[in-house]
Amino acid sequence: MTSIDKVYIQGIRSFSPKDEGTVIEFYKPLTLIVGTNGAGKTTIIECLKYITTGKFPPGAKNTFVHDTKIAGEREVKAQIKLRFTNVLKKTHVVTRSLQLTQKPNGKQELKTLESAIQFYDAEGTKRSHSSKCAELDKEIPLLLGVSKAVLENVIFCHQEDSNWCLGDSKTLKEKFDDIFAATRYTKALEAIKKINKEQTASIKESNLKLENLQNLRDLSNNLKSEMAKKQKQCEDSQLKISEKSQLEKTKQEELEQVKLKLESYQAIRNEIRKLTAVKDQILSENEKFYAKIPIEFRKKYEKVDDAGLEKRLTNFDSDLKNLKDKKTVLESEKKELTKQIEQLLGQLA
């Protein structure tokens, strides 16, 4: 639990600003403060309340600091320090400083100076940081583990405010609401309802998004399945295209062979045409030659068909030789006859 160890007071009410200050140590489990009237018993409680909550005593803001007229100074500085151990067993030292200035018009001005908190970190090093009063008023109750309302109205309640529990019902309700944090509970309940409403709306929206995402997922799965089918069809088509290409290549090769055969056939046909022309020419010459042959020889060289012509062509050389031999014999006979005729003519002459 939290415990208050020491408090240092200087320049507050009857505590002189010129001295080194007064240190009051608190003992456990109980500390009794005893003194005559005006000794500063209430001032100690007021200092504890101010340093923990930042609240001045009721109606005594400008009289909280030692009077400048009594001190004989135009300016009086006051300081309060509190050392306590929080719920985490860590020691903290809080310092609040005040300054009361006497104005030429006779009025006094109270100013809050810089405040600071000192503590020891996990390594045992002393740390210090300055804070504004408003931040310090919120930070100290958190360090003490006690709400500000409990510090003001219960623990460090001023004797002039100690009968607040006998006040009117409205004030009493406000006090109890602050002490028991009923307002915070109501606000927290409203915040919970608001969060619940927002979460319900968010859940509905998330369910709609989830349904939409499920539909998109199903659509995506269908598209993936359809894509896989199309991919399979594409692969099959590609395979068929490859087969068709191979078949086309084969057909192209066959076509080339057919073209070569066609060219060969065309060349043979042209050769046949040429040979046919030669044949016709030979037949024509044969006709002419046949017409020149004497009648008595025509039977031997009558027109014959291709087979007979082929046979005659085969026997042509032998027939030609026979004819040449006959020609030689006839020429010899002609010479013999010519010689006989010349002898006869010579005898007749």
Side-chain angles (χ1 to χ4, degrees):
M1 60 181 295
T2 302
S3 62
I4 296 175
D5 300 327
K6 293 181 181 181
V7 64
Y8 168 86
I9 303 173
Q10 181 186 32
I12 301 296
R13 291 197 185 274
S14 60
F15 291 88
S16 175
K18 297 180 180 180
D19 297 336
E20 293 182 356
T22 302
V23 178
I24 301 171
E25 187 174 356
F26 298 93
Y27 300 96
K28 298 177 182 178
L30 180 65
T31 299
L32 294 177
I33 302 175
V34 182
T36 60
N37 291 336
K41 301 185 298 296
T42 305
T43 302
I44 295 173
I45 303 301
E46 290 174 349
C47 290
L48 291 172
K49 179 179 180 179
Y50 172 72
I51 199 167
T52 55
T53 65
K55 291 287 185 179
F56 290 101
K61 182 177 180 181
N62 290 336
T63 60
F64 185 60
V65 179
H66 193 84
D67 198 316
T68 56
K69 296 177 181 179
I70 297 175
E73 300 288 343
R74 191 180 70 86
E75 183 178 276
V76 174
K77 291 184 177 180
Q79 190 177 71
I80 304 172
K81 291 183 179 181
L82 175 66
R83 189 178 77 177
F84 65 91
T85 304
N86 67 356
V87 292
L88 300 177
K89 304 301 181 181
K90 292 184 178 180
T91 302
H92 293 73
V93 178
V94 184
T95 304
R96 289 182 187 262
S97 300
L98 299 168
Q99 179 179 303
L100 183 65
T101 305
Q102 181 69 42
K103 296 293 183 180
N105 57 6
K107 293 184 179 181
Q108 293 180 334
E109 181 185 10
L110 181 64
K111 184 187 298 184
T112 302
L113 302 179
E114 186 178 11
S115 302
I117 298 180
Q118 294 178 347
F119 59 93
Y120 291 92
D121 59 14
E123 298 177 355
T125 305
K126 188 176 182 180
R127 301 288 184 181
S128 176
H129 68 86
S130 301
S131 301
K132 295 181 180 179
C133 291
E135 295 176 356
L136 202 64
D137 295 343
K138 294 178 181 179
E139 190 172 356
I140 293 178
L142 294 176
L143 293 173
L144 292 172
V146 183
S147 67
K148 187 176 180 181
V150 174
L151 291 173
E152 289 181 5
N153 301 308
V154 180
I155 298 177
F156 300 129
C157 181
H158 196 275
Q159 61 184 5
E160 295 181 5
D161 294 333
S162 59
N163 61 347
W164 62 266
C165 55
L166 302 176
D168 59 278
S169 59
K170 181 179 179 181
T171 305
L172 188 63
K173 182 179 181 303
E174 291 176 354
K175 292 286 185 180
F176 275 110
D177 286 346
D178 289 340
I179 291 172
F180 295 105
T183 305
R184 290 175 59 192
Y185 173 76
T186 304
K187 290 181 179 179
L189 191 60
E190 291 176 355
I192 290 172
K193 289 180 179 179
K194 182 179 179 182
I195 292 172
N196 187 25
K197 185 178 180 181
E198 292 175 353
Q199 290 296 324
T200 303
S202 178
I203 289 172
K204 289 182 179 179
E205 184 179 355
S206 298
N207 288 333
L208 291 175
K209 289 182 179 179
L210 179 60
E211 184 178 357
N212 186 28
L213 289 174
Q214 288 176 346
N215 293 333
L216 291 176
R217 183 196 62 187
D218 295 338
L219 179 60
S220 176
N221 291 334
N222 293 334
L223 289 175
K224 286 181 180 179
S225 177
E226 189 68 23
M227 185 180 295
K229 291 181 181 178
K230 296 296 183 183
Q231 187 71 22
K232 185 66 171 58
Q233 292 178 0
C234 182
E235 291 176 358
D236 294 341
S237 300
Q238 193 70 27
L239 183 60
K240 289 181 180 179
I241 290 173
S242 179
E243 293 176 354
K244 295 291 184 183
S245 299
Q246 187 66 28
L247 182 60
E248 182 182 359
K249 185 177 180 181
T250 305
K251 295 296 181 182
Q252 189 70 27
E253 292 176 356
E254 292 178 357
L255 181 61
E256 292 294 332
Q257 293 178 1
V258 170
K259 285 183 178 179
L260 292 175
K261 289 181 180 180
L262 183 61
E263 290 176 357
S264 176
Y265 171 75
Q266 191 69 30
I268 293 171
R269 188 175 180 182
N270 293 334
E271 187 68 21
I272 290 172
R273 287 178 180 176
K274 290 181 181 178
L275 292 174
T276 303
V278 171
K279 174 186 174 183
D280 293 340
Q281 184 178 1
I282 291 172
L283 290 175
S284 177
E285 291 178 356
N286 193 18
E287 288 289 337
K288 294 178 181 179
F289 178 73
Y290 184 76
K292 293 179 180 180
I293 295 174
I295 295 174
E296 59 272 14
F297 295 107
R298 286 185 182 180
K299 289 182 179 181
K300 189 176 181 179
Y301 298 99
E302 289 180 355
K303 292 182 179 180
V304 294
D305 55 6
D306 291 341
L309 182 61
E310 188 72 24
K311 185 177 180 180
R312 288 186 178 184
L313 286 173
T314 304
N315 300 326
F316 178 75
D317 292 335
S318 60
D319 293 340
L320 182 61
K321 184 178 179 182
N322 293 331
L323 290 173
K324 286 182 177 180
D325 292 340
K326 288 181 179 182
K327 180 182 178 182
T328 304
V329 172
L330 291 174
E331 286 180 351
S332 298
E333 291 178 355
K334 181 181 177 182
K335 287 180 179 180
E336 186 66 29
L337 291 173
T338 303
K339 184 177 179 182
Q340 290 177 5
I341 291 170
E342 287 178 353
Q343 290 177 358
L344 291 172
L345 290 174
Q347 291 176 2
L348 288 174

